[in-house]
Amino acid sequence: MQFDVLIIGAGLAGLSSALKFAPNITVAIVVKRQLSLSSSHWAQGGVAGAINNDDNFDLHEQDTISAGAGLCQLETVRHVVRNSDLCIQWLIDQGVEFTKIDGKNSLHLTREGGHSLNRIAHVADFTGKAIQDNLIQKALQQKNITVFEEHSAVDLIVSTKLNNKDLPERCLGAYILENRTGKVFTISAKKTILATGGASKAYLYTTNPPVSTGDGVAMAWRAGCEIRNMEFIQFHPTCLYHPMERSFLISETVRGEGGILLLPNGEKFMHKYHELADLAPRDIVARAIDSEMKQYGLEHVYLDISMLDKAYIKKRFPSIYSHCLKLDIDMTCEPIPVVPAAHYSCGGVATDLNAMTTLEGLYAVGETACTGLHGANRLASNSLLECLVFSSSAVKHISENLNFKHTPLPEWDESRVSNPDEAVMILQVWNELRRFMWNYVGIVRTNQRLKRAYDRIELLKDEVQHYYNNFHISADLIELRNLLQVSELIVISALQRKESRGLHFSKDYPLKAEKAVDTVIQLNKKS
Ligand code: SIN
């Protein structure tokens, strides 16, 4: 199959890119489950933007840079922040109905940790769902967009791996697996965009949907792209703690509206860790909770918003309220049990201001990319914004540079593989990996824990690669192979950073180095 543009992933980065192309540009969207399953769809908080009269771009930039702990790229921060109003307006133009101030026409702006004032446009507490449902409907109506649901990208096709010396090094498309039949086919594309989201499924506890397996980063790595800052995994401080529910986020906007973290005896503790107390940046809040839990041997702490008016809580947080109530927790009159959980990958495939990776023809947008916006720690609600800004940048650059002709691509070779005999291996490795990543590569790290994790990853990688080489592949196997790859990249990057900065905290190097330097790795340049 041939398309002008292949987009892998259908969260906000993928969908908004697809919709921004002119109708004469053919676009394929490949999504490994349904269109509605993405981190963007699960996003509760909102879209940050300096649109209030008291606010300005400089303040938003300062907050972003201060959260990023010295590693934000100023040009990128400026590019994103200064386009925030346009992006929010684009969503409004698509029909997204943001929450308004009661009785007025202006947007209700809320607050999250690290922001110096209220600047988050939201749709109650289901902003991502409201945006995605709208864009999905639009994408399904566009004649130039073909959607392949339940299809998994196996690997990118890179010219240097073909026997054609005349082709310069570039990405030519991808091998795609139809999940149901197990058949693999090629999509040839003049340009390919990776928009596969993050890699938080590498951890036992995460706020992410099951699709966050780092596919884009793993594929880009194997294709030889530069990968940056993978050690910076953001742990969200408040994931619901309940035996029946492992991945439900309690939005930071709950603290933004006045919610307070408490120990089981009702004591507050955040004031001991930061002057902004419960509204300190996320890395500080997550580490504080981790430290209190370890000190007192707790399984969780509590988040209390019950001091607010009941009717207001129900109106402001309808999804969180009803979700908790189904589990017999009434947040209008009792605190919610919460724990930190892996939430966001700040690092990823290195990209420039056009969203271009270091491989010609390949772009990365959203959580898959490392644009330089987040540095060592992402400011809350900057991620949906980043998707919107960089989808525009990618679309603009691609549209101006589509003059490449399709090349014949080799078929997927299955001549030497047989049917799998031990599919249980996939579940076993998956569980093992996520558990030791949580224990050894979590909120607080040491050299010894990281080395232990590295050794185990190498063993599991060999096992899975053997399976991949010898048996027919499946969607589960592709995810596991990618998850192992990104876990290795997280650990390698963490071992390279000999300091504590932002989201990376090492007991062996508790201090921040004087100079802030990105961790940059590339295949064959691995140290
Ligand atoms: C939240 O609602 O707490 C998540 C927002 C974000 O991660 O940016």
Side-chain angles (χ1 to χ4, degrees):
M1 290 189 199
Q2 295 185 342
F3 291 88
D4 290 326
V5 182
L6 164 63
I7 300 177
I8 305 174
L12 184 57
L15 274 189
S16 61
S17 299
L19 286 166
K20 287 172 184 173
F21 280 109
N24 63 330
I25 294 180
T26 59
V27 178
I29 302 180
V30 169
V31 53
K32 61 185 180 172
R33 306 272 165 85
Q34 312 80 40
L35 281 172
S36 57
L37 189 63
S38 64
S39 290
S40 302
H41 203 276
W42 283 25
Q44 295 177 358
V47 186
I51 50 180
N52 202 345
N53 286 344
D54 310 338
D55 203 358
N56 59 59
F57 292 145
D58 291 345
L59 259 186
H60 187 181
E61 281 169 18
Q62 272 165 33
D63 289 344
T64 302
I65 288 164
S66 136
L71 278 182
C72 295
Q73 287 180 20
L74 301 191
E75 233 190 336
T76 310
V77 174
R78 195 153 285 179
H79 178 56
V80 173
V81 165
R82 285 167 199 258
N83 278 297
S84 57
D85 49 350
L86 293 178
C87 288
I88 292 172
Q89 189 56 49
W90 184 80
L91 289 173
I92 295 171
D93 295 343
Q94 302 308 304
V96 176
E97 291 187 21
F98 285 101
T99 299
K100 305 251 174 60
I101 296 174
D102 276 345
K104 297 206 177 135
N105 204 24
S106 43
L107 299 188
H108 177 267
L109 300 176
T110 191
R111 189 165 173 188
E112 291 182 270
H115 288 275
S116 48
L117 39 70
N118 290 29
R119 67 160 68 94
I120 295 151
H122 64 101
V123 183
D125 61 351
F126 51 88
T127 312
K129 180 178 177 345
I131 294 174
Q132 288 298 105
D133 285 348
N134 177 299
L135 300 189
I136 288 170
Q137 285 319 313
K138 292 226 150 54
L140 290 174
Q141 284 159 17
Q142 287 288 336
K143 292 218 168 55
N144 63 321
I145 300 177
T146 308
V147 177
F148 295 86
E149 282 185 304
E150 303 286 350
H151 282 70
S152 306
V154 184
D155 252 327
L156 299 169
I157 304 175
V158 183
S159 55
T160 42
K161 297 199 178 144
L162 309 184
N163 288 332
N164 182 348
K165 299 223 164 43
D166 298 336
L167 280 176
E169 183 171 13
R170 62 173 295 131
C171 179
L172 300 168
Y175 287 110
I176 307 295
L177 170 88
E178 187 182 11
N179 296 352
R180 192 178 50 83
T181 60
K183 292 270 172 283
V184 179
F185 60 94
T186 57
I187 289 188
S188 168
K190 295 178 184 169
K191 304 281 179 180
T192 300
I193 301 179
L194 295 172
T196 60
S200 288
K201 268 284 162 183
Y203 289 89
L204 188 59
Y205 301 108
T206 171
T207 61
N208 284 197
V211 288
S212 301
T213 51
D215 305 334
V217 173
M219 285 189 282
W221 166 261
R222 289 192 290 266
C225 293
E226 192 177 293
I227 308 291
R228 221 188 276 148
N229 291 343
M230 285 300 289
E231 67 275 35
F232 297 115
I233 300 294
Q234 185 169 68
F235 291 84
H236 195 289
T238 57
C239 180
L240 177 65
Y241 176 87
H242 193 279
M244 305 297 293
E245 184 58 82
R246 284 225 168 145
S247 293
F248 189 74
L249 177 72
I250 305 296
S251 174
E252 197 158 290
T253 53
V254 173
R255 277 177 289 129
E257 298 279 340
I260 304 283
L261 288 160
L262 300 174
L263 294 173
N265 64 4
E267 247 178 65
K268 300 176 186 172
F269 57 89
M270 271 315 300
H271 60 281
K272 293 190 288 182
Y273 295 89
H274 197 274
E275 70 218 19
L276 288 172
D278 294 88
L279 280 177
R282 249 178 224 178
D283 56 329
I284 295 177
V285 183
R287 261 199 311 279
I289 296 176
D290 186 65
S291 152
E292 295 288 322
M293 281 170 51
K294 289 209 167 98
Q295 186 177 347
Y296 297 110
L298 307 173
E299 300 220 305
H300 60 82
V301 293
Y302 287 98
L303 176 60
D304 188 19
I305 185 87
S306 64
M307 71 294 276
L308 296 193
D309 175 63
K310 275 189 183 169
Y312 181 73
I313 296 176
K314 288 186 198 171
K315 181 167 168 237
R316 175 64 187 85
F317 301 111
S319 320
I320 300 177
Y321 171 73
S322 62
H323 197 92
C324 288
L325 203 60
K326 275 194 217 132
L327 299 167
D328 281 335
I329 303 163
D330 182 350
M331 67 190 277
T332 64
C333 53
E334 63 185 317
I336 308 167
V338 291
V339 278
H343 182 61
Y344 191 89
S345 317
C346 290
V349 187
T351 53
D352 64 12
L353 285 183
N354 293 317
M356 272 181 77
T357 70
T358 51
L359 177 65
E360 178 67 33
L362 184 67
Y363 296 71
V365 182
E367 198 174 347
T368 311
C370 182
T371 62
L373 174 68
H374 310 309
N377 182 23
R378 178 182 64 99
L379 186 67
S381 288
N382 263 353
S383 42
L384 295 182
L385 174 62
E386 187 192 39
C387 291
L388 291 162
V389 172
F390 276 98
S391 59
S392 298
S393 312
V395 168
K396 180 168 185 296
H397 195 262
I398 289 172
S399 305
E400 289 165 2
N401 294 278
L402 255 188
N403 48 0
F404 180 77
K405 289 214 170 57
H406 290 282
T407 317
L409 301 178
E411 293 299 309
W412 183 252
D413 181 7
E414 285 195 307
S415 56
R416 279 166 299 181
V417 296
S418 56
N419 282 329
D421 57 353
E422 277 284 309
V424 68
M425 179 279 292
I426 293 178
L427 187 63
Q428 171 62 30
V429 175
W430 177 275
N431 288 338
E432 202 176 326
L433 172 70
R434 296 182 66 210
R435 190 166 289 278
F436 71 69
M437 284 296 286
W438 180 259
N439 288 326
Y440 295 159
V441 197
I443 298 174
V444 175
R445 299 162 179 178
T446 66
N447 282 339
Q448 196 185 36
R449 288 180 195 166
L450 292 174
K451 283 183 189 139
R452 274 194 198 130
Y454 182 80
D455 292 343
R456 279 169 171 74
I457 289 171
E458 295 312 293
L459 286 176
L460 297 180
K461 262 187 84 185
D462 283 351
E463 211 170 294
V464 168
Q465 192 58 39
H466 173 81
Y467 204 85
Y468 178 85
N469 292 341
N470 290 288
F471 299 110
H472 288 290
I473 56 171
S474 64
D476 290 347
L477 182 65
I478 292 172
E479 283 190 332
L480 180 61
R481 178 174 177 248
N482 290 337
L483 209 55
L484 276 163
Q485 184 56 71
V486 283
S487 300
E488 185 194 47
L489 301 181
I490 294 169
V491 173
I492 291 171
S493 306
L495 279 166
Q496 282 192 21
R497 188 164 291 284
K498 308 267 187 268
E499 61 162 346
S500 289
R501 179 183 296 276
L503 299 163
H504 174 76
F505 184 83
S506 165
K507 277 189 173 175
D508 295 308
Y509 313 103
L511 301 180
K512 186 149 72 171
E514 251 172 55
K515 196 162 171 235
V517 182
D518 286 325
T519 309
V520 180
I521 52 176
Q522 207 166 356
L523 192 63
N524 304 328
K525 291 193 188 159
K526 190 167 94 171
S527 55

